[in-house]
């Protein structure tokens, strides 16, 4: 319920996932981190994540790519990335 605490925990979980992926020889890309976040780190590492987790990871990677671009605030582009 506390946004600040939730953000701290989310960052720690992200770093933990990143470390686990890298230790397993997997690149810590936005796609792989989102896949591990949604489908489980062991499933992401072993290649056994469910289809729905891959769908989530693709949307997250698309959104990360849009947000990584210079700040043009193109709302339709962000909405398209979420699909």
């Amino acid at each position: 319920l506390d946004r600040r605490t939730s953000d701290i925990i989310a960052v720690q979980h992200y770093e933990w996932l990143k470390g686990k992926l890298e230790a397993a020889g997997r690149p810590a890309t936005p796609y792989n981190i989102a896949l591990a976040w949604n489908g489980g780190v062991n499933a992401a590492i072993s290649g056994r994540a469910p289809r729905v987790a891959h769908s989530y990871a693709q949307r997250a990677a698309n959104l990360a790519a849009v947000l990584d671009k210079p700040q043009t605030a193109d709302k339709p582009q962000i909405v398209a990335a979420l699909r």
Side-chain angles (χ1 to χ4, degrees):
L1 297 175
D2 175 35
R3 174 64 187 259
R4 195 166 168 199
T5 301
S6 296
D7 288 347
I8 291 168
I9 292 168
V11 169
Q12 289 176 345
H13 186 58
Y14 176 96
E15 292 298 330
W16 180 80
L17 291 172
K18 181 179 177 216
K20 290 289 190 179
L21 288 168
E22 290 172 342
R26 299 278 184 164
T29 63
Y31 182 92
N32 284 341
I33 290 174
L35 184 64
W37 189 292
N38 189 264
V41 70
N42 291 332
I45 290 169
S46 69
R48 297 179 188 262
R51 184 177 300 166
V52 67
H54 284 278
S55 178
Y56 170 86
Q58 187 60 62
R59 291 190 315 273
N62 291 346
L63 185 56
V66 169
L67 295 175
D68 195 37
K69 290 182 181 178
Q71 296 295 320
T72 59
D74 187 2
K75 195 172 186 177
Q77 192 177 21
I78 291 172
V79 171
L82 293 172
R83 292 188 182 144

